[in-house]
Amino acid sequence: MKKFTVTTDTNLKDFTDATYPQGSFVLGVLLKKGDVRVNGVKQRKSCPLKAGDEVTYYTTPAQEDKPSHTVVYEDENILVADKPDGVSSEGLFSELGGTYYPVHRLDRNTSGLIVLAKSNKAQEELIAAFKERSVEKIYLCFAQNNFKAQSATLTAYMTKDAASGTVRVFNSPAADRVKIITEYAVQKSFGDYALVKVTLHTGKTHQIRAHLSSIGCPVLGDGKYGNAALNKKYKATRQILVARSLAFHLAGDLAYLNDTQFTSNFFPTLPKDRNK
C-alpha cells in the first residue's frame, strides 16, 4: 500500500503518472479491483482530484518493487537512466526526488534512455546541449512498412494542439509552425511492418511518431498517429519505440562525456514475443 497527498488540482490518472510509477504500471488493474481510494472512497475510473485529497493505492509488494528504471551511467554530474514503457518522465522525476534535475523527457509509452542532471549547473549545460543539437539521439521502432525509400532525411513543419495533446505535420512553413528534421533507415522488413532506425536532428513533441505517420509509416502500436487495424493485428497497445542510444558532443565542463555512447537495454519487440 502507498499513500500520497495531492498538492494541486488534477485528475487521478495524471496524478498517478506524475507521482507513482509503480501504480501507473497497473492503474487499470487497480481501478478494476477497487484498489485505489480517494479520501477513503473506492474509485473505478479516473476522477478529478483537488489539493489536499489523499490517494491510497493498494498495490502488492511485487507491484511496488517493480523498478521504474535502471541506471546506465551515473557520476557526480549526470544520471543516464533506462526506463521501460509505462513510466512517465514526470513520475520518474518525482520518484528520484530533489537531487536530480530534469533535462528532457520521453513519452510515457516510449522506453529507453533519459538524462537527468545532478546540479543546476549541469542541468543548464545539458539543456543547452539538447537545444543546440549537441546530443546525438538514435531511436529504434517498428513502423508500418510503406517506405518509398529505405533511408531518407525528412524535413517538415509542425504545429501543436495543446487541447488535444497532438501535433500536425505540414510540408510547407508558416508562422505558427516549427521546423522538424527526422532521419530514418529501414533495418529489416517483416512484411507489413519494419524495424527502423531513427536519428533526430530536432527534438519536438511526438516528432518521430507524427513525422513517420505523415509519410504513411506510423509507429506500430501508436494510438494517436497509428494504423488501428495494424495495431490490432499485432496486439500492440503502446507505441513500439525505444530511445536506443545517446552520444554527447559537448564543449563545457561535461565534455569528458563525449567519448562514451550510452545504449539502452531495451529493443523493439512485439507484445507476443515479450517474456519468452
Side-chain angles (χ1 to χ4, degrees), residues 22-225:
Q22 288 73 21
S24 186
F25 276 129
V26 292
L27 182 59
V29 173
L30 295 175
L31 290 172
K32 187 175 181 180
K33 293 182 176 180
D35 285 341
V36 182
R37 298 186 184 185
V38 176
N39 301 325
V41 178
K42 290 184 179 180
Q43 304 298 320
R44 298 288 182 177
K45 60 182 180 180
S46 183
C47 61
L49 298 176
K50 294 184 177 180
D53 285 346
E54 186 177 81
V55 182
T56 305
Y57 303 88
Y58 289 88
T59 41
T60 67
Q63 290 168 338
E64 291 168 7
D65 288 342
K66 186 172 182 179
S68 63
H69 70 286
T70 58
V71 175
V72 172
Y73 175 84
E74 186 170 13
D75 63 20
E76 68 275 13
N77 295 312
I78 186 174
L79 168 68
V80 181
D82 201 12
K83 83 169 190 70
D85 60 63
V87 173
S88 71
S89 298
E90 292 77 13
L92 179 60
F93 301 152
S94 175
E95 183 182 58
L96 287 171
T99 58
Y100 294 90
Y101 301 81
V103 173
H104 68 124
R105 66 182 304 279
L106 293 178
D107 291 338
R108 171 181 170 172
N109 291 330
T110 297
S111 59
L113 300 181
I114 186 167
V115 177
L116 297 94
K118 296 180 70 174
S119 69
N120 286 322
K121 183 178 180 182
Q123 182 189 36
E124 290 175 2
E125 187 171 340
L126 288 167
I127 287 175
F130 274 88
K131 287 183 178 179
E132 294 165 5
R133 306 177 193 175
S134 298
V135 183
E136 181 182 281
K137 296 177 287 182
I138 295 176
Y139 291 71
L140 290 177
C141 68
F142 285 151
Q144 186 172 352
N145 195 11
N146 286 333
F147 293 97
K148 295 179 179 178
Q150 291 298 290
S151 63
T153 299
L154 309 172
T155 299
Y157 303 86
M158 192 172 73
T159 61
K160 182 177 180 180
D161 183 347
S164 66
T166 59
V167 301
R168 293 182 63 193
V169 175
F170 303 86
N171 292 324
S172 58
D176 62 340
R177 300 171 187 173
V178 295
K179 186 177 182 179
I180 56 173
I181 303 173
T182 310
E183 180 182 352
Y184 76 83
V186 175
Q187 305 294 289
K188 188 174 181 179
S189 295
F190 299 93
D192 53 6
Y193 74 96
L195 173 65
V196 184
K197 174 185 174 182
V198 180
T199 303
L200 279 182
H201 296 283
T202 55
K204 303 301 180 183
T205 302
H206 297 179
Q207 179 176 325
I208 293 173
R209 297 163 59 193
H211 210 168
L212 290 184
S213 181
S214 74
I215 64 167
C217 305
V219 174
L220 185 60
D222 193 337
K224 285 190 174 182
Y225 307 101

